[in-house]
Amino acid sequence: QQPVQSPQAVILREGEDAVINCSSSKALYSVHWYRQKHGEAPVFLMILLKGGEQKGHEKISASFNEKKQQSSLYLTASQLSYSGTYFCGTEGSGTYKYIFGTGTRLKVLA
Amino acid sequence: DAGVIQSPRHEVTEMGQEVTLRCKPISGHNSLFWYRQTMMRGLELLIYFNNNVPIDDSGMPEDRFSAKMPNASFSTLKIQPSEPRDSAVYFCASSLVNRGQIFNTEAFFGQGTRLTVV
């Protein structure tokens, strides 16, 4: 039932772009994206709500396809500070409640 | 603003002992969440409160786990008795929720408590 993220890991050079995907087997109300650096707490990046509303930071963009039960996080012109593990958090209905994805490790090299 | 404050930052205890983790949410926030993170299971939502009332504790793994929020500025997560498989990093987060839409706003995380049960 845990949403699957892809890729599991990615290495980029500074300035390159990346896309991280989050796929659920259940219908979703909303998707959250977080970044977590090693030994630190997760930091909120973006919320995507059913119906298309988005709330987040200016330099991060994402999409939410309700029909496909998928979300994608777009990282453009990556910086060294983008390194970390990215998690999607998904809100569903009934007993689903709130479940985090499997995580994507991203490393940006100079 | 000091952010969400958790204590202790690290806790090492022996199997069978009671463990209490503490959290002070951001002032003015009305929702509080407890999470657990392990290598095997990733990040898991254990329980969340809205206006000091527990809304959903279905993520609490066993009856050995309990959580309270006696007032808007303090919450505890207790494990009694503790077991080695409870070893994890426990995060507390808080948010300001409107109209009861718990997951529609940004949650701010504390730095976590790393629990080791030996």
Side-chain angles (χ1 to χ4, degrees), chain B residues 7 16 19 27-28 52-53 56 59 61 63 70-71 80 95-96 100 109 115 118:
Chain B
S7 64
V19 175
S27 177
N52 311 338
V53 176
D56 190 327
D63 291 344
N71 56 62
Q80 165 64 19
S95 66
L96 179 59
F109 282 70
L115 173 65
V118 298

Side-chain angles (χ1 to χ4, degrees), chain B residues 1-103:
Chain B
D1 194 333
V4 176
I5 299 173
Q6 291 186 245
S7 64
R9 292 294 308 277
H10 302 272
E11 176 82 33
V12 180
T13 190
E14 290 186 347
M15 183 174 62
Q17 295 297 307
E18 177 179 298
V19 175
T20 299
L21 311 182
R22 296 172 176 80
C23 176
K24 177 179 168 55
I26 292 173
S27 177
H29 281 189
N30 57 8
S31 289
L32 184 139
F33 309 80
W34 282 101
Y35 300 91
R36 178 174 69 175
Q37 186 172 33
T38 62
M39 289 295 294
M40 291 297 295
R41 300 176 67 89
L43 269 165
E44 302 172 279
L45 174 62
L46 300 178
I47 184 172
Y48 58 93
F49 297 82
N50 183 238
N51 294 322
N52 311 338
V53 176
I55 303 301
D56 190 327
D57 65 354
S58 59
M60 297 284 260
E62 299 174 40
D63 291 344
R64 298 183 295 105
F65 286 71
S66 63
K68 294 182 179 180
M69 192 163 186
N71 56 62
S73 59
F74 184 66
S75 177
T76 59
L77 178 67
K78 185 179 293 186
I79 309 173
Q80 165 64 19
S82 57
E83 296 183 5
R85 59 195 167 120
D86 301 332
S87 298
V89 179
Y90 290 82
F91 289 106
C92 173
S94 71
S95 66
L96 179 59
V97 169
N98 293 319
R99 296 176 294 184
Q101 296 177 315
I102 301 290
F103 296 110

